[in-house]
Amino acid sequence: MSWGSELWDQFENLEKHTQWGIEFVEKYSKFVKERSEIETNYAKQIRNLSKKYQPKKNSREEEESKYTFCRSFLTTLNELNDYAGQHEVIAENLTSQILTELSRYLQELKAERKLHFHDGRKAQQHIETSWKQLESCKRRFERDCKEADRAQQYFERMDADINVTKADVEKARQQAQMRQQMATDSKNDYSSYLQKFNQEQNDHYYTIIPSIFQKLQDMEETRIERIAVCMKTFSDVDRQVLPIVGKCLDGMTKAAESIEPKADSKQVVESYKSGFEPPGDVEFEDYGQAMKRTASDTSLTNSKESKEKPSGKSKGKLWPFIKNKNKLSLKLITLNSHIWNLIEGSGPEDFSHLPPEQRRKKLQGKIDELNKDIQKEMDQRDALTKMKDVYVKNPQMGDPASVDPRLSEIGQTIEKLQFEVQKFEGWLAEVEERMPSKSDSHRRSGLFETQNNTAVSNNCAQDRESPDGSYTEEQNSETQVKVNTHPVPTSSTPEFDDEFDDEETLPTIGTCKALYPFEGHNEGTISVTEGELLFVIEEDKGDGWTRVRRNEDEEGYVPTSYVEVFLETNAKDS
């Protein structure tokens, strides 16, 4: 149906309708713009969320990356970041494919509508002007006809009156003829203009207005079609990113499926295994028989303190301390395992602050890292050597001597790295020699007790040291425990009778001189003054403490760095 034939008299309504259509385009443009802003803000928030939970560059995060669930979470964050990128693509496509096009089209639509209604108003004004002229001609014709009738009647009255002169009659007759001629001319003008108006009116309502309204109809249909295209594009923009969004979601799903609880449990063992042997069984001590109970050779208590403590209380007996010390060993190992990662950055270069197993892994990792650096430098050296050979064969390509400084620098770097590797390999060999072998697990309970208490004694000593190896006077309630590292020999362990005798004192293996004063506030330590001479009964076993004796009743541990030790010849040989 055509607007020109059906709506020929609805000019104002069509004007309102087309204006509403333009307002709808503006409203839809605003809707798309707000949707684009939502997508942009959503993508920004998703990216910020992904960035917020990305692992930081520290040792703790590096340790976490060893676990499958942490790697899966990192993959999820990366996929989420890509997912946010697709929402940015949606926002960009909405702006470029819809907003930009609609903005340009809206300007064209307004200009076209203005032009069409300008032509329509012009045609409307023209037909209204023609109608007014027709009405003017009609009124003039009517007026002339009335004047002609009045002049004719006046002439007839003058002609019938015998008292009127002939000249007056002639004048009235001429006036009547003139009025009649004017009425005839007005009639002809009115008739001519009426025909002209009818023709213009016919053209107006059947040609001009239908043509303008048809253009408006085409404009409106084009507007609706353009809106339909934009709405289709609106959905296609989302559909275009669905494959990539699906890949992101698939990546998250695969990351979740890659989590391996067993592997993570195994990694816990790899991360926190100390390498220490578990404590052995506690020997039965028969108090029903009269026997002499002596302190072990690695006990932190002296004989004087043992004599002063009442024998009827459990605190004076040796076995409760062994039991508590076993618990303390496990507790210290567990505690240390949680702080290894915190002190790695400030620890010594040889990782001596770590337990054997962890130290071995760190040293091996350092060696592997250095070997990779060496291989990288060697590859560069080989490439430069080949380049130098090319320059030698083809001097026009370059000067062979220009490569020598770089080759010399790489050679020095390789030598330094190889020296570092040798240093760390030496430390690794030392650790592997000290680590207990698998066959040690089959030893008897007395040896278990000895190993356990020695390890605990080392832990106690480490607890009294700061990470850089210096001594601190800060006391720890868990480390203030007296330890009996050797059980009382019984008939069940005859093979150790020679090693663990019933004497209260250990043999002297040398002497030492105190270089600095030391106040032994902690349990098991002994205070010394600068320049004091003492007997050495147990040398440093790698924990930083040396066991000394002042007299028969006073013995204990002092920091090895505080004394100058002079071992006897037979002790050094042994």
Side-chain angles (χ1 to χ4, degrees):
M1 299 179 68
S2 175
W3 286 9
S5 59
E6 302 294 336
L7 303 176
W8 60 270
D9 58 343
Q10 299 298 321
F11 184 87
E12 293 181 356
N13 288 331
L14 288 179
E15 186 177 14
K16 293 179 181 179
H17 177 77
T18 52
Q19 178 61 32
W20 174 78
I22 291 177
E23 292 174 355
F24 181 83
V25 174
E26 292 176 343
K27 180 173 69 174
Y28 186 76
S29 298
K30 185 178 180 181
F31 161 74
V32 175
K33 181 179 180 181
E34 291 181 358
R35 165 72 192 283
S36 177
E37 292 175 352
I38 290 174
E39 293 292 341
T40 302
N41 293 333
Y42 178 68
K44 182 178 179 181
Q45 292 177 0
I46 290 295
R47 285 193 183 278
N48 291 338
L49 179 66
S50 176
K51 183 179 179 181
K52 177 181 178 182
Y53 287 93
Q54 285 286 341
K56 307 297 185 298
K57 299 296 182 180
N58 54 44
S59 59
R60 180 61 181 170
E61 296 294 342
E62 292 177 0
E63 288 294 327
E64 291 180 356
S65 64
K66 298 178 181 179
Y67 298 97
T68 58
F69 62 90
C70 291
R71 293 197 297 268
S72 175
F73 180 58
L74 178 59
T75 303
T76 301
L77 292 178
N78 294 333
E79 295 292 347
L80 192 63
N81 193 57
D82 296 339
Y83 177 80
Q86 297 310 306
H87 283 277
E88 291 177 346
V89 171
I90 292 177
E92 292 174 359
N93 291 340
L94 287 176
T95 302
S96 61
Q97 299 181 18
I98 298 181
L99 279 179
T100 304
E101 292 296 325
L102 277 183
S103 178
R104 180 180 56 81
Y105 173 69
L106 194 59
Q107 300 299 325
E108 296 176 355
L109 182 63
K110 291 181 178 180
E112 183 180 0
R113 175 182 175 276
K114 182 178 180 180
L115 177 62
H116 293 330
F117 280 101
H118 175 74
D119 295 341
R121 291 191 184 91
K122 185 177 180 181
Q124 193 74 19
Q125 291 175 359
H126 179 72
I127 197 67
E128 289 176 358
T129 302
S130 298
W131 171 256
K132 291 179 180 179
Q133 291 178 355
L134 178 62
E135 288 291 324
S136 177
C137 291
K138 180 181 177 180
R139 287 194 297 271
R140 186 170 64 251
F141 171 59
E142 181 182 5
R143 185 177 65 251
D144 290 344
C145 287
K146 291 181 179 179
E147 292 292 334
D149 288 343
R150 283 197 295 270
Q152 184 63 31
Q153 292 175 3
Y154 179 73
F155 167 70
E156 290 177 354
R157 286 198 304 271
M158 292 294 288
D159 188 41
D161 190 356
I162 57 175
N163 297 323
V164 177
T165 61
K166 188 176 181 179
D168 292 337
V169 173
E170 184 61 24
K171 182 178 178 181
R173 184 179 65 80
Q174 291 177 356
Q175 185 68 25
Q177 289 178 351
M178 185 185 68
R179 292 294 182 183
Q180 189 66 33
Q181 185 61 38
M182 290 178 63
T184 302
D185 293 340
S186 297
K187 179 181 179 181
N188 293 333
D189 291 340
Y190 172 66
S191 176
S192 175
Y193 203 85
L194 180 61
Q195 292 179 358
K196 180 181 177 182
F197 174 78
N198 288 334
Q199 182 63 38
E200 290 179 351
Q201 183 176 253
N202 184 72
D203 293 340
H204 177 78
Y205 287 109
Y206 290 95
T207 303
I208 299 175
I209 291 299
S211 176
I212 294 174
F213 282 8
Q214 184 62 41
K215 292 178 181 179
L216 288 173
Q217 184 178 359
D218 295 341
M219 180 194 72
E220 183 68 9
E221 291 176 355
T222 302
R223 178 191 67 82
I224 296 173
E225 183 179 358
R226 184 63 65 89
I227 289 294
V229 171
C230 290
M231 289 183 177
K232 184 176 182 297
T233 304
F234 185 83
S235 60
D236 290 340
V237 166
D238 276 347
R239 187 175 290 107
Q240 289 172 0
V241 301
L242 286 180
I244 302 180
V245 171
K247 290 182 180 179
C248 294
L249 298 178
D250 292 341
M252 296 180 190
T253 303
K254 291 180 180 179
E257 293 174 350
S258 67
I259 296 177
E260 299 179 3
K262 295 294 184 182
D264 290 343
S265 298
K266 183 178 179 181
Q267 184 58 45
V268 174
V269 177
E270 295 293 329
S271 298
Y272 299 114
K273 183 179 179 181
S274 65
F276 294 124
E277 289 292 336
D281 297 336
V282 178
E283 290 291 341
F284 175 75
E285 301 184 23
D286 191 357
Y287 288 94
Q289 299 178 2
M291 58 182 296
K292 185 178 181 180
R293 294 181 294 277
T294 60
S296 61
D297 59 349
T298 57
S299 173
L300 297 183
T301 60
N302 54 49
S303 58
K304 181 179 180 180
E305 291 175 344
S306 299
K307 293 177 182 179
E308 291 176 355
K309 294 196 180 254
S311 60
K313 295 183 180 181
S314 60
K315 291 185 178 180
K317 299 178 182 179
L318 298 178
W319 61 269
F321 295 115
I322 298 175
K323 183 176 180 181
N324 292 339
K325 198 60 181 182
N326 292 339
K327 293 182 179 180
L328 176 59
S329 175
L330 297 177
K331 186 177 295 185
L332 290 175
I333 292 172
T334 304
L335 178 61
N336 289 339
S337 66
H338 289 291
I339 64 174
W340 288 333
N341 292 331
L342 298 178
I343 63 176
E344 282 179 13
S346 60
E349 184 182 9
D350 60 351
F351 304 107
S352 59
H353 62 293
L354 297 178
E357 182 67 20
Q358 299 300 323
R359 184 185 180 191
R360 182 186 65 80
K361 292 179 181 178
K362 288 293 184 181
L363 290 173
Q364 186 62 52
K366 187 67 176 179
I367 292 173
D368 295 340
E369 181 182 347
L370 291 172
N371 286 330
K372 289 180 181 179
D373 294 339
I374 291 175
Q375 185 61 41
K376 183 178 178 181
E377 295 293 333
M378 293 177 68
D379 292 341
Q380 292 184 9
R381 183 182 63 183
D382 294 342
L384 289 175
T385 303
K386 292 179 180 179
M387 183 184 297
K388 182 177 180 180
D389 293 340
V390 172
Y391 288 168
V392 171
K393 295 178 181 179
N394 301 291
Q396 67 275 10
M397 297 184 65
D399 183 12
S402 63
V403 186
D404 292 338
R406 179 57 180 163
L407 284 175
S408 177
E409 181 182 351
I410 292 177
Q412 295 176 1
T413 303
I414 292 176
E415 290 179 0
K416 291 180 181 178
L417 292 175
Q418 289 175 345
F419 175 76
E420 290 292 323
V421 169
Q422 293 176 0
K423 181 173 63 175
F424 280 96
E425 286 178 347
W427 288 334
L428 180 61
E430 178 185 353
V431 172
E432 291 177 345
E433 289 176 0
R434 292 186 178 182
M435 288 184 63
S437 61
K438 294 183 179 180
S439 60
D440 292 340
S441 60
H442 302 289
R443 294 183 181 179
R444 307 192 64 164
S445 60
L447 186 55
F448 268 125
E449 188 68 27
T450 303
Q451 292 174 342
N452 175 63
N453 293 322
T454 303
V456 174
S457 178
N458 293 344
N459 278 337
C460 292
Q462 290 177 1
D463 286 340
R464 292 192 293 269
E465 293 182 7
S466 60
D468 59 355
S470 61
Y471 178 78
T472 174
E473 289 293 332
E474 181 179 354
Q475 298 185 7
N476 189 313
S477 60
E478 290 189 352
T479 61
Q480 294 180 9
V481 180
K482 296 182 180 181
V483 182
N484 181 13
T485 58
H486 297 295
V488 177
T490 63
S491 59
S492 61
T493 57
E495 62 271 30
F496 297 108
D497 287 345
D498 295 337
E499 182 178 357
F500 305 120
D501 53 26
D502 292 335
E503 295 180 3
E504 292 186 357
T505 59
L506 293 174
T508 300
I509 62 174
T511 60
C512 67
K513 178 181 180 181
L515 302 177
Y516 312 101
F518 172 70
E519 298 179 1
H521 294 304
N522 291 337
E523 199 75 38
T525 61
I526 184 173
S527 60
V528 296
T529 59
E530 183 179 355
E532 183 179 0
L533 296 177
L534 302 168
F535 295 102
V536 178
I537 59 176
E538 185 178 332
E539 61 178 323
D540 188 355
K541 296 183 177 181
D543 55 5
W545 295 88
T546 300
R547 190 174 181 184
V548 300
R549 179 187 298 133
R550 178 178 287 111
N551 50 49
E552 293 183 358
D553 296 333
E554 290 186 82
E555 65 179 41
Y557 288 92
V558 295
T560 304
S561 59
Y562 278 53
V563 296
E564 183 179 2
V565 179
F566 307 95
L567 295 179
E568 298 178 0
T569 305
N570 56 353
K572 293 181 180 180
D573 295 339
S574 62

